[in-house]
Amino acid sequence: MFLNRKLYDIFLVRTSSTKAYKSKWKSVVGLEVHAQIQSQSKLFSAAGTRFASGVNQNVSLFDAATPGTLPVLNKRCVEAGVLTALALNCRVNAVSMFDRKHYFYSDLPAGYQITQQRSPLANDGLLEFHVYTPGVHKTPYVKKSKIKQIQLEQDSGKSLHDDDRSLVDLNRAGIPLMEIVFEPDLGDGEEAAALIKELVVILQRLNTCSCKMEEGALRVDANVSIHKPNDSLGVRTEIKNIGSVRAVAGAITYEIKRQIAVLERGGTITNETRSWNSISKVTVPMRDKEEKQDYRYMPEPNLPPLYLAIGPSNWGCLNVDNLKASIPELPNETRNRLKNDYNLTPEQAVILVNESKLLDIFNETVLRMKLNAKLMANILINDFLSLIHKEKKVLEDITIPVEFLAETVMLLQKSAINRKTAQLLLKEMLSLPKDTPSEIVRSRGWYQITNEEELRTICKTVIKENPKILNQYLNGKLIVFDAFLGKIVAKSEGKADMSQVPSILKEVLKELKK
Amino acid sequence: MNTILSSNIRIASKLLQDFSITSTDLSNACLKRANDTKKFNAFITITKSEADHQAQESSQRYQNGKQLSELDGITIAMKDNFCTANIRTTCASKMLENFIPAYNATVYEKLRQSGAVLIGKCNLDQFAMGSGTVDSLYGPTKNMWQFLNDDFYITGGSSGGCAVAVATGACFAAVGSDSGGSTRNPASYCGLVGLKPTYGLVSRLGLIPLVNSMDVPGILTRCVDDCVSVLNAVAGPDPKDSTCFARPYKKISLPSGDKLSIKGLKVGIPVEYYCNDMGDEVLHTWNEVAQLLEDNGAIVKEISLPNTEYSIVCYSILNQCEVASNMARYDGIEFGYRAHENASTEKLYASSRSVGFNEVVRNRILAGNYFLLNRNYDKYFNQALKVRRLIVNDFDKAWEEVQVLLTPTTLTTAPKYKDFIRKTNRDQTAIQDFCTQPANMSGVPAVTIPIKLSTDGMPLSLQIIGRNLSEPMILALAKFIESNVNFPQYLKITDNK
């Protein structure tokens, strides 16, 4: 039954064209993000947090809910939560409280999770970000999403189910989380993915979350609904635990299409929890949680209210204003700096900020080595990044010798090589050569031919070798000029300085006309 | 040696210091006493090997002139809801029948660091839910004052085992817990001093919780000075308990009884503590002591704590909600009783919990979960919190007029078992905790002090309540009363027989 329905959904989606509905339906998306706080120890215990530790190695008595143990709030987690809240323009609350959220599950040893339901750490934030997916959007546009609240809470453990037994690993139990609840301000999957990308950059800059989605350090739940313009919001479904930025876009896009298809055939959307299958690229209903849970929230009696000092006071867990002063440059500021100070395009600014590794190289080479910013940005984005995508590699995995990149761009900047050669050098770089770019260029004779006489000789040779084209040109078919240029590139093995060649070629042809 | 067991910590400590006895002698005598009084069922576990080991270490320290404190070598007992490393901690329940904690409760750890010697773990109502020490997996604890063959007087509870252990001389002091009167009630019925310290003064780490927001470790001793000695050892900040005061604790030191003056002390008699169920002898005792205080220069006046009567129903809701929550961890997975059930995880929980808990516990879990349902939260839990605030306000107002309150501890002397169990656990709690419960609601300290014996030979006791952290004052007043009323100690009477 479960399987049949799934197939039916797929069938429906594949056979209906969404474009036709574009004007008829409006989709609304809201996100909830669980971000693991980067800290040495857990939220309420002294147990460690290292990701790849042995099973049940990071477990204190408290994490196992041993009777009589008590929670002690980890100050570092409060600090991370406040920093994040400030960076997301939230109102940080001077007093917040912890609640118990009850449900029975084998990887939740206490039978409740300590969270901040009724009185969270921070409220009413706003995140402004750029939506730009090359290939989907022509130019970036600015989008804003309000943040309802940010709360601190414990992660649960993990259950492993076998045929005849279940095993529990409590390493994750009690790991600190920030839950960031966004208002349903988004319109589609690409906007959601862009929001997450922006959030990742912010959290990484603040060093409050590693954002390693593959380790579950950042998990996204998406609430999706559709409605007709001027109607009230439709019934929403929730997609749980989406594990990558692209999956956020994929899952939401799929879910919107699915809901449209269901309503178009006269069906109804049920308020349910679904999961994203990243292999078959569909959302499917989750088996458990069929019954509506009553979590029986209760104030956590073992933790006093969390007091924060705001203004010139040192009373409370920590001072919010002192933390505010320590916030590093945030992505929006970086984008503005890139556009204003270096004259980069909005697209370039967005891409550099999203690819922190490229931005590091950019900063290193442009600020320190004084290389041409525009040229550097072009090379990094148009040549280097596309090369990595073409080679199906991941930017983060590549150990980039900054000096190599810098030298390559320097050679280009001095016109010692041309763009084509620069691309060859970048490709060389992926195989981690021992030689410097200059040495490679020298040993392979890749220097650009800039000498005018030399270029003139090449032009003459090419014309001589292609009498047919010459005839056409002389008979007034001027378009074949480009054909000569191509032949010249080939003849010079890509080394001819193509900024000089056209004028020289014109002169040579002019002489022949006479 | 029997005289020493009936004496107090100061005398025993002096005898240890001048080598009249050794810690091992004292420990052995107490272990023997614990064995000889088994019929009262004070102990769930007698920790002989720990006592032997700890006493030997203590003897060694005395020989080396390295006494840790006045408690070095002094015998103690712990209620069996305090975690003790490598010693089973049962909460008198099937659920934790075989639970051996891997850590020490802070209170026990501090007593160990003072050199005290653990004789055993004491009986209680299952998970401290009760006021009689009758609902225990290990059977009821019996009051030693009048021991009958066909029936017995209850000890009160839930720290009844502690009370009997101290009263019979198996130890000098016992640490119980007090959420609604569980230390003061049995102390009162057994003729002991019972202190409920200010909430937050003594760490709760390792105390298996009943009502986290009201639980405090309590102290049961035969005299006020012993109570002060133990409090001085266990009170103070604990970084592992976030509800503890962070301020350092200042040790209490009381002058001798004849040097205490209560001249000008403002003592309140809260009129609402008088109720229909109160026994005549209790009422008379209350009046007599009020008169005694006035005769000695105190200013005694009636005052009003108008919300007293709502304390019990408010407590009942908050108690059951916290119980429902606290008990959620007993699912048979990480520790505790696990049923033989493989059908599903849910079934494993269900059968582990229905076998592991008694009916009282199960009832409270059910009621608590009902109160906490989203649709009921405001109606019950939130409402109870508001009532709690009113009760706290009552006390705050009282402190504008008086310094301490004098009240009965219990409405009667200890009931007989057969009479006691005619009412349900819930109804009994409502009666038994009437005078003790409001102090837990507001967190203030309270001490019960035995005054005299009733006509049928059972102890009559009164309670002194003070404002937060007023332990020095209420204990001083308790000591003043103690030295004036000359309560006939159970051990003194039996020793003379």
Side-chain angles (χ1 to χ4, degrees):
Chain A
M1 180 62 209
F2 168 70
L3 193 67
N4 283 343
R5 175 140 164 233
K6 190 172 99 179
L7 291 174
Y8 188 48
D9 283 353
I10 298 169
F11 174 76
L12 269 173
V13 170
R14 296 222 169 124
T15 51
S16 49
S17 152
T18 51
K19 269 190 184 159
Y21 304 124
K22 256 197 174 151
S23 55
K24 258 172 95 180
W25 296 101
K26 247 175 96 72
S27 49
V28 176
V29 178
L31 300 180
E32 286 178 26
V33 177
H34 287 94
Q36 286 183 346
I37 295 172
Q38 257 187 319
S39 66
Q40 296 296 309
S41 57
K42 292 186 178 178
L43 183 55
F44 297 119
S45 82
T49 55
R50 215 165 58 81
F51 175 69
S53 299
V55 170
N56 285 317
Q57 293 304 297
N58 296 345
V59 184
S60 72
L61 292 173
F62 174 79
D63 303 322
T66 302
T69 52
L70 297 169
V72 178
L73 180 59
N74 180 347
K75 193 175 162 180
R76 156 68 194 161
C77 301
V78 179
E79 193 180 284
V82 170
L83 275 173
T84 305
L86 291 172
L88 297 178
N89 305 298
C90 290
R91 183 189 77 238
V92 176
N93 295 317
V95 187
S96 62
M97 317 264 227
F98 291 94
D99 298 294
R100 290 179 177 181
K101 175 183 182 178
H102 298 90
Y103 60 93
F104 280 105
Y105 206 72
S106 49
D107 55 26
L108 187 75
Y112 56 80
Q113 173 199 30
I114 304 179
T115 175
Q116 294 192 299
Q117 170 70 9
R118 293 188 171 98
S119 187
L121 184 73
N123 291 96
D124 302 329
L126 184 73
L127 177 58
E128 194 181 303
F129 55 98
H130 287 69
V131 188
Y132 176 60
T133 312
V136 179
H137 308 103
K138 283 198 183 102
T139 50
Y141 64 95
V142 175
K143 184 80 196 169
K144 289 175 187 178
S145 179
K146 291 192 284 294
I147 292 143
K148 188 170 168 239
Q149 67 181 53
I150 297 181
Q151 64 202 44
L152 297 175
E153 62 184 34
Q154 301 170 297
D155 211 337
S156 64
K158 279 180 184 166
S159 299
L160 305 149
H161 301 289
D162 209 350
D163 280 345
D164 57 342
R165 58 177 185 169
S166 294
L167 299 170
V168 178
D169 180 3
L170 295 180
N171 279 352
R172 207 181 66 181
I175 292 268
L177 293 178
M178 300 179 271
E179 180 174 344
I180 308 170
V181 184
F182 290 90
E183 298 284 0
D185 291 339
L186 308 178
D188 59 36
E190 291 303 335
E191 292 187 356
L195 182 151
I196 297 300
K197 256 190 230 164
E198 181 80 356
L199 185 66
V200 164
V201 176
I202 293 173
L203 299 185
Q204 284 177 339
R205 291 225 183 145
L206 296 171
N207 207 19
T208 57
C209 174
S210 76
C211 297
K212 288 180 181 163
M213 293 183 85
E214 67 282 6
E215 290 181 6
L218 190 88
R219 312 193 287 271
V220 180
D221 301 342
N223 290 302
V224 179
S225 72
I226 58 164
H227 65 281
K228 288 185 175 165
N230 303 325
D231 278 3
S232 56
L233 293 186
V235 175
R236 64 190 168 90
T237 58
E238 184 178 17
I239 314 167
K240 279 270 183 202
N241 284 338
I242 312 174
S244 76
V245 173
R246 281 329 296 164
V248 168
I252 294 170
T253 306
Y254 172 88
E255 183 60 16
I256 291 169
K257 287 182 188 172
R258 187 190 71 84
Q259 291 190 9
I260 290 173
V262 169
L263 291 186
E264 284 289 326
R265 76 167 136 94
T268 49
I269 305 297
T270 39
N271 177 230
E272 63 181 354
T273 307
R274 302 176 71 88
S275 65
W276 170 245
N277 186 325
S278 56
I279 294 156
S280 48
K281 306 254 182 259
V282 292
T283 67
V284 290
M286 282 168 82
R287 279 170 299 126
D288 52 352
K289 311 219 178 187
E290 274 166 13
E291 286 172 57
K292 198 166 157 44
Q293 292 251 21
D294 190 320
Y295 292 117
R296 291 159 283 127
Y297 285 101
M298 187 189 90
E300 166 57 65
N302 292 324
L303 289 167
L306 169 57
Y307 295 104
L308 298 173
I310 298 171
S313 151
N314 274 321
W315 196 73
C317 180
L318 48 82
N319 185 294
V320 174
D321 294 313
N322 290 350
L323 276 184
K324 202 179 265 177
S326 73
I327 291 181
E329 184 183 78
L330 294 175
N332 228 359
E333 295 162 349
T334 311
R335 277 189 296 265
N336 286 337
R337 182 167 60 83
L338 292 176
K339 283 186 283 189
N340 298 337
D341 296 4
Y342 300 112
N343 210 17
L344 300 192
T345 66
E347 291 84 351
Q348 287 176 324
V350 168
I351 292 171
L352 280 186
V353 166
N354 284 348
E355 304 288 357
S356 63
K357 202 154 190 177
L358 292 190
L359 185 63
D360 288 345
I361 298 168
F362 180 87
N363 284 336
E364 172 86 3
T365 52
V366 173
L367 287 178
R368 203 168 63 81
M369 304 180 184
K370 307 287 176 210
L371 290 182
N372 181 305
K374 196 90 188 158
L375 182 62
M376 194 69 212
N378 281 335
I379 291 292
L380 283 175
I381 295 167
N382 299 343
D383 300 313
F384 184 59
L385 191 59
S386 32
L387 174 70
I388 284 163
H389 288 162
K390 210 161 106 192
E391 300 278 322
K392 295 206 179 345
K393 293 197 165 149
V394 180
L395 187 56
E396 275 66 33
D397 297 343
I398 291 171
T399 43
I400 312 167
V402 177
E403 290 70 22
F404 196 107
L405 267 167
E407 202 179 317
T408 304
V409 174
M410 189 60 92
L411 289 170
L412 191 60
Q413 202 173 313
K414 290 191 304 195
S415 298
I417 57 171
N418 62 17
R419 191 69 175 261
K420 194 98 191 149
T421 310
Q423 287 166 358
L424 288 173
L425 278 172
L426 291 177
K427 203 166 177 181
E428 282 296 311
M429 202 187 73
L430 294 181
S431 53
L432 301 171
K434 285 193 201 82
D435 300 339
T436 65
S438 303
E439 284 163 357
I440 295 174
V441 167
R442 193 183 312 122
S443 65
R444 308 210 181 159
W446 280 354
Y447 278 118
Q448 182 163 248
I449 304 166
T450 48
N451 182 291
E452 205 184 313
E453 275 318 303
E454 233 176 292
L455 290 172
R456 195 179 297 275
T457 313
I458 295 172
C459 289
K460 282 179 177 164
T461 317
V462 168
I463 291 168
K464 201 179 264 172
E465 284 171 5
N466 293 282
K468 259 187 191 165
I469 302 175
L470 178 65
N471 255 336
Q472 286 174 315
Y473 185 82
L474 292 176
N475 289 333
K477 204 172 179 190
L478 298 181
I479 198 149
V480 296
F481 186 79
D482 289 353
F484 275 128
L485 290 181
K487 300 276 177 197
I488 290 164
V489 171
K491 186 80 195 168
S492 69
E493 293 169 316
K495 288 181 288 184
D497 179 0
M498 293 309 285
S499 63
Q500 293 189 56
V501 168
S503 57
I504 297 171
L505 183 62
K506 256 181 204 156
E507 280 175 32
V508 177
L509 288 169
K510 217 177 197 172
E511 278 165 26
L512 284 172
K513 254 186 181 173
K514 285 175 191 168
Chain B
M1 187 49 95
N2 277 356
T3 342
I4 301 169
L5 293 194
S6 315
S7 70
N8 57 40
I9 292 175
R10 190 176 51 81
I11 291 171
S13 180
K14 194 161 174 299
L15 293 172
L16 288 165
Q17 280 175 64
D18 63 21
F19 300 102
S20 304
I21 54 166
T22 67
S23 303
T24 301
D25 297 338
L26 189 59
S27 168
N28 286 340
C30 286
L31 288 167
K32 182 171 182 305
R33 179 63 61 84
N35 259 311
D36 292 347
T37 53
K38 263 194 167 159
K39 61 180 173 181
F40 303 127
N41 199 22
F43 291 97
I44 290 174
T45 308
I46 292 178
T47 53
K48 185 179 177 333
S49 61
E50 283 78 12
D52 288 348
H53 179 68
Q54 292 171 2
Q56 203 192 342
E57 284 182 343
S58 171
S59 299
Q60 196 63 51
R61 284 194 293 270
Y62 276 104
Q63 268 177 18
N64 299 340
K66 288 185 172 158
Q67 183 194 359
L68 290 172
S69 77
E70 62 173 337
L71 293 185
D72 205 337
I74 299 298
T75 50
I76 55 149
M78 304 289 298
K79 189 177 182 178
D80 208 20
N81 59 351
F82 284 91
C83 287
T84 42
N86 307 315
I87 304 168
R88 72 171 180 157
T89 299
T90 67
C91 282
S93 68
K94 172 100 183 147
M95 183 57 85
L96 294 183
E97 197 178 1
N98 296 311
F99 173 58
I100 297 174
Y103 76 110
N104 282 332
T106 300
V107 173
Y108 178 60
E109 187 63 37
K110 286 190 169 184
L111 286 168
R112 287 290 307 120
Q113 282 161 13
S114 307
V117 173
L118 182 72
I119 296 299
K121 306 283 304 279
C122 294
N123 202 10
L124 65 154
D125 290 298
Q126 190 167 132
F127 284 99
M129 293 183 209
S131 47
T133 317
V134 296
D135 289 323
S136 162
L137 182 69
Y138 303 93
T141 298
K142 299 168 183 178
N143 199 316
M144 63 281 139
W145 276 95
Q146 308 264 342
F147 190 66
L148 314 166
N149 280 329
D150 56 331
D151 195 4
F152 60 91
Y153 287 91
I154 64 153
T155 57
S158 60
S159 312
C162 291
V164 172
V166 174
T168 55
C171 55
F172 287 85
V175 177
S177 62
D178 194 316
S179 317
S182 279
T183 290
R184 287 161 289 159
N185 177 288
S188 164
Y189 284 159
C190 296
L192 296 171
V193 174
L195 173 71
K196 171 227 172 288
T198 306
Y199 183 85
L201 182 64
V202 182
S203 169
R204 290 185 296 115
L205 181 83
L207 165 58
I208 297 178
L210 173 62
V211 190
N212 306 275
S213 61
M214 299 184 211
D215 295 343
V216 282
I219 299 166
L220 298 97
T221 53
R222 294 188 292 270
C223 65
V224 175
D225 279 339
D226 287 359
C227 179
V228 170
S229 297
V230 174
L231 181 66
N232 282 342
V234 300
D238 180 3
K240 290 174 181 168
D241 177 359
S242 311
T243 61
C244 254
F245 292 112
R247 258 174 296 169
Y249 171 77
K250 202 167 156 245
K251 284 194 176 178
I252 299 172
S253 152
L254 298 180
S256 62
D258 54 342
K259 286 193 180 127
L260 281 164
S261 163
I262 57 164
K263 205 158 274 173
L265 184 73
K266 292 182 206 152
V267 180
I269 306 290
V271 291
E272 288 82 3
Y273 279 61
Y274 174 77
C275 65
N276 285 336
D277 296 320
M278 191 174 287
D280 289 343
E281 287 193 272
V282 171
L283 185 59
H284 287 148
T285 311
W286 192 8
N287 278 324
E288 278 168 33
V289 173
Q291 192 61 51
L292 168 80
L293 299 185
E294 200 169 61
D295 293 347
N296 282 279
I299 302 159
V300 181
K301 62 191 274 192
E302 285 191 355
I303 63 146
S304 175
L305 297 168
N307 295 295
T308 301
E309 63 167 310
Y310 306 117
S311 191
I312 290 292
V313 61
C314 172
Y315 176 64
S316 162
I317 289 167
L318 296 179
N319 176 305
Q320 295 177 74
C321 291
E322 289 203 25
V323 164
S325 177
N326 288 334
M327 295 291 143
R329 71 188 56 211
Y330 301 104
D331 55 12
I333 304 278
E334 284 84 9
F335 46 79
Y337 176 77
R338 182 188 292 188
H340 296 287
E341 176 65 68
N342 285 323
S344 74
T345 315
E346 285 74 18
K347 280 198 176 140
L348 173 67
Y349 295 158
S351 31
S352 297
R353 289 165 67 80
S354 58
V355 175
F357 294 140
N358 71 5
E359 204 185 333
V360 174
V361 178
R362 292 203 305 273
N363 281 346
R364 291 199 193 183
I365 291 172
L366 183 69
N369 277 320
Y370 174 79
F371 295 142
L372 287 176
L373 286 177
N374 203 21
R375 64 171 191 273
N376 292 335
Y377 184 81
D378 278 333
K379 201 168 150 195
Y380 296 104
F381 191 83
N382 229 0
Q383 197 64 20
L385 288 184
K386 288 178 191 166
V387 174
R388 184 175 188 177
R389 168 57 59 190
L390 291 177
I391 292 164
V392 174
N393 290 349
D394 276 0
F395 279 105
D396 287 345
K397 252 192 210 142
W399 307 136
E400 290 169 11
E401 293 187 58
V402 295
Q403 291 163 288
V404 293
L405 301 172
L406 179 72
T407 79
T409 311
T410 48
L411 302 180
T412 62
T413 54
K416 281 186 188 157
Y417 178 71
K418 279 181 186 160
D419 295 331
F420 185 81
I421 57 167
R422 265 189 216 130
K423 289 200 167 82
T424 63
N425 177 291
R426 193 186 124 79
D427 289 343
Q428 277 297 0
T429 305
I431 298 167
Q432 297 295 328
D433 292 349
F434 185 85
C435 296
T436 47
Q437 211 289 310
N440 297 86
M441 212 39 108
S442 73
V444 295
V447 61
T448 180
I449 176 98
I451 306 296
K452 61 177 188 179
L453 293 181
S454 66
T455 45
D456 58 354
M458 297 301 287
L460 285 157
S461 302
L462 292 179
Q463 173 180 237
I464 303 160
I465 306 174
R467 68 172 73 196
N468 276 344
L469 297 174
S470 69
E471 278 81 359
M473 183 188 284
I474 63 167
L475 288 167
L477 179 57
K479 190 169 173 182
F480 176 85
I481 295 172
E482 178 182 60
S483 60
N484 277 276
V485 298
N486 282 314
F487 175 75
Q489 293 276 341
Y490 170 78
L491 283 172
K492 299 263 162 68
I493 296 169
T494 47
D495 285 353
N496 290 338
K497 268 181 194 166

